[in-house]
Structures are given as C-alpha cells and as structure tokens.
Amino acid sequence: MSKMNDFLENKVMPVAGRVAGQRHLQALRDGIILTMPLIIVGSLFLILGFLPIPGYSEFMANTFGDQWLSKLMYPVGATFDIMALIAAFGIAYRLAEKYGVDALSAGAISVAAFLLATPYEVSFTPEGATEAIMVGGAIPSALMGSKGLFVAMLIAMLSTEIYRFIIQKNIIIRMPDGVPPAVSKSFVALIPGFIVIAVIWVLRLLVEQTDFQSLHNIVGEVLGKPLGVLGGSLIGSLVAVFLIQLLWSCGLHGASIVGGVMGPIWLSAMDANRLAFQGGQELPNIFTQQFFDIFIYIGGSGATLALVFAMVLRARSKQLKQLGRLAIGPGLFNINEPVTFGMPIVMNPLMIVPFVLTPLAMVITTYIAMSTGLVGKPAGIAVPWTMPPIIGGYLAAGGKISGAILQLVNFALAFGIYYPFFRIWDKQKLSEEGGFETTTTSSGKVVNM
C-alpha cells in the first residue's frame, strides 16, 4: 500500500499537476464550455422534435402544419451550427485572460481570423441538375459547427499567442490620457490584430496553392482523422478513462484535464450523431460526450453512485453510514466530491482499485451493448451531465428505454465491483470506532448498539 502511495505522490502527481496547470489546455477546456449552454438549449428543441410518442408527429402536423419539424429545428441549427465560431472566441478569451491581456479584443480577433481561414463557398444543386456546384459568397454553416472545431481551436491559440506577444513587446498605439478606456483598448489591439489577420491571410494564400485548398482540409487530414480514430475507438476510450481515474485518484480533476484534449473529439462525434438522428439515418458514433457522462459516470467520476447505495444499505460503521446519507443526494445528480474526498477514495490504495476498474468495465459493457444493437447509440442530444440516472439514459439514447435499462445494468455492475472493497473499508472503520455497529430507529436516527 505504501509503495502505491509513494508512486502516486512522487511519480504521478508532479506530472499530472504540470499538465493540469498548462494554460493552453485550461483555455481549451474553459473556452469550449462556452458552447455547452447553447448546445443544451438546442438539444431541448431536438427532443421536442422527436418525442417517441405514437401519433405525436401526426398531431403536430395537423396542429402546426406540414413544416412544423423544419421550423422547430431552427434553434437547433442556430446553436449547434455555430459551435466552432463560439469556441474560437471562448478559447482565445480564456487564453488571453491567463496572459493578462485584453481578452475581449483577443476573442474578437480570433473570430475574424477563423472566418478568414474559412472559404466562403457552399455546395448547391440547381433545379434539374444532377451534380452540385460550388457557390461563392456564403459562409458554410458546416464549417462553423463541429467540422470546424479543430481549426477554431488552433486559430484561437495561434492568434492569441501572436496578439499577446505583440502586446508584451509593447508594439502598440497608445492613446493620450483622457481617452475612454474602451477606445484606448481598441487602438492597442490595432497593430496585433493587423498582424494576426495578415499571418492567417498569408497562410490561406499558401494553402490554396496546394492540393488541400483550405486550412480546414489540412487540419482535417493531419489532426482530425487521427484524433477521431483515437477518440472513437475502444482502446482510445479505455486509455482516456484510465487517465481520468488515475488523475482523480491523486486528487486532480481528471475529467477536466483529459477533457481538454478529448472533449473536442467527443463533441464532434456527438454532432455527427445529431445530424444523422435529425435525418433519420443510422448513428455513426458510439463514443460521444454523452457515452461517458451518462452511461459510464453514473454518480460522478468512478461511477460511485453504487458505492453510495452500498454505504446507505450495508454500512456497519457510523462514519460510512452517515457519509452515504450525505452523499446520496448529490450522487443522484452525478456529483461525488463528498465520496471521493470524504471516504476518502483519493490517495486510498484500497478504494482506488475499484474506482479505476469500475468505469473501465462499464466502457466495455456499454460498447458491447451499443455495437451489437442491443442499446441505442447516443443520439447527439446534449443531455446535461447532472441528469439523474434512468432519465439521462432514456434521453441520451434518443427516447429509447434500452438506454435507461443499460444504466441499471451498469449500476448493478458497479455495485458488484465496489462491494468487496467497500466491506473491507467498512470493517476497518468499524474497528476504529471500537466495534460498535449502527442501526436505524423508526424515526430515522442512527444509534450505536
């Protein structure tokens, strides 16, 4: 046990701490979070459009007309289809904050640079034609959404790095005292903004001379495809979950650290499923953000809701019985800090074992259930990670009861893995309390026997 603690403290924690403090990863994580409220709002309209109620579509068509579904999807497009644009602003804003420069200007410049990197062309099929033609002068909504996410991330970080470098070198236009701060800041951003735009413009001109034609195509081939394969595979997902659990075992927020890298991949996969779900097509991806938030982390990282129920139902020690009662409320909404730090699981070699093993086992069972068709894949609906179990599984699977059943199966699996380790820890705590067992009176009070 002590060797494991030494390993975590001396080997894992220093590296994990440096990764957790890396400003670019923090900016990625915090900037992309800016898109989440919009995506969740869009998902609500998506749910309304595809409620699994017999006769629902006919009722809506008779009430609101044949075009009711297309009109109901307007907010979905207005939220999902600007994901990359919002991320370009949010990432640049958060990164500029960490450098202590004007974040608002950095965000605005990043959005302009992202649009500059995007060719204003959309495909259009004229009436009677058999092949689509490219039409200029229109911003492609597809590249403003999940397909442009990787370009938005890179452009945001590049433009902010150039912006802060010019500012820190003091190559700026200063206005005399007395000029309003908002006006003064806009002039400070003038030279850095010009340089950022010029750099992206030159890059675009150079890329247009190659077979790739656009920065989006280069990033998609060089970065998007390899990362997509990694994030969309069982092995890649197991590695990501293992790292999340290992970081949590050291007391670091593993989901936030690993999510900074994997989040954009899972977000893109979620949006691809959303488009397929809207179009009535087969869902292409299993591993999306909802796969992990809803089906794996039932009760929070480590799937600790089953452990909390074990405490409430089977704990003999007063400490664990009380902790279980305290943690069950937050646990139902997938918040488990009372358990991870109160039990504790963090730096506890005994409980770290099931804490790491349980989510890994659930990834495998969930993958098998979805890949074999027993359970519906995540439908691209951005169900909030705080959604209680059963409801969350039902909604995430696009209104299929199989999603809720899978959550119950995973809960039982987690209970079975945690229980032997819980009994050992409970016995130890009972011994520390002097061997007293607890029981519950009819009024709900806990007393020693």
Side-chain angles (χ1 to χ4, degrees), residues 1-73:
M1 293 292 185
S2 61
K3 285 184 178 178
M4 186 171 179
N5 267 338
D6 290 342
F7 173 75
L8 292 174
E9 288 181 5
N10 300 324
K11 302 294 182 184
V12 177
M13 284 191 71
V15 176
R18 283 196 290 274
V19 173
Q22 214 288 326
R23 59 167 64 95
H24 294 87
L25 284 179
Q26 288 181 340
L28 275 178
R29 178 196 64 203
D30 297 341
I32 289 178
I33 284 176
L34 189 63
T35 66
M36 292 313 295
L38 293 174
I39 293 174
I40 291 173
V41 170
S43 294
L44 294 176
F45 286 91
L46 194 60
I47 293 171
L48 288 176
F50 297 93
L51 283 178
I53 301 174
Y56 174 73
S57 299
E58 291 76 10
F59 169 77
M60 293 295 284
N62 293 333
T63 307
F64 300 105
D66 292 338
Q67 297 298 314
W68 71 273
L69 185 57
S70 299
K71 293 179 180 178
L72 191 61
M73 292 300 105

Side-chain angles (χ1 to χ4, degrees), residues 293 296-301 303-306 330-337 389:
D293 290 348
I296 307 303
Y297 296 130
I298 301 172
S301 293
T304 52
L305 186 60
L332 288 173
F333 294 91
N334 303 321
I335 297 167
N336 66 347
E337 274 78 1

Side-chain angles (χ1 to χ4, degrees), residues 386-401:
T386 50
M387 184 67 71
I390 299 179
I391 302 173
Y394 177 77
L395 293 176
K400 293 181 179 174
I401 197 68

Side-chain angles (χ1 to χ4, degrees), residues 107-317:
I109 292 170
S110 171
V111 169
F114 173 63
L115 288 172
L116 176 59
T118 304
Y120 285 11
E121 288 182 333
V122 295
S123 64
F124 174 71
T125 306
E127 188 174 354
T130 56
E131 293 185 1
I133 59 172
M134 298 304 293
V135 178
I139 298 176
S141 61
L143 296 181
M144 299 294 105
S146 60
K147 285 185 179 177
L149 201 52
F150 285 111
V151 174
M153 290 161 47
L154 294 175
I155 293 284
M157 288 191 284
L158 175 62
S159 70
T160 307
E161 285 294 335
I162 295 173
Y163 176 80
R164 67 96 187 166
F165 179 80
I166 303 297
I167 296 282
Q168 291 175 348
K169 290 295 181 184
N170 210 24
I171 307 172
I172 55 176
I173 298 174
R174 291 194 182 280
M175 299 300 289
D177 294 340
V179 173
V183 177
S184 180
K185 284 183 180 178
S186 65
F187 274 88
V188 167
L190 200 57
I191 293 177
F194 175 80
I195 293 175
V196 168
I197 296 297
V199 168
I200 302 299
W201 175 59
V202 171
L203 274 177
R204 176 173 172 171
L205 292 178
L206 291 174
V207 170
E208 284 181 348
Q209 303 307 312
T210 69
D211 293 337
F212 288 106
Q213 292 296 309
S214 78
L215 288 168
H216 286 270
N217 293 338
I218 286 185
V219 173
E221 290 291 328
V222 175
L223 187 63
K225 283 188 177 178
L227 286 178
V229 170
L230 176 67
S233 68
L234 178 61
I235 299 298
S237 299
L238 288 173
V239 170
V241 169
F242 175 76
L243 289 175
I244 289 172
Q245 297 309 120
L246 188 62
L247 291 168
W248 265 117
S249 301
C250 302
L252 299 169
H253 200 301
S256 293
I257 298 169
V258 176
V261 178
M262 303 302 290
I265 302 169
W266 293 332
L267 209 56
S268 298
M270 181 200 77
D271 196 38
N273 279 14
R274 189 264 306 179
L275 291 170
F277 181 67
Q278 275 184 246
Q281 303 165 354
E282 185 179 353
L283 304 181
N285 301 304
I286 291 177
F287 298 105
T288 69
Q289 191 68 50
Q290 284 68 49
F291 176 92
F292 299 95
D293 290 348
I294 303 300
F295 295 103
I296 307 303
Y297 296 130
I298 301 172
S301 293
T304 52
L305 186 60
L307 176 61
V308 172
F309 269 80
M311 289 182 194
V312 173
L313 299 175
R314 303 293 297 172
R316 298 168 63 201
S317 72

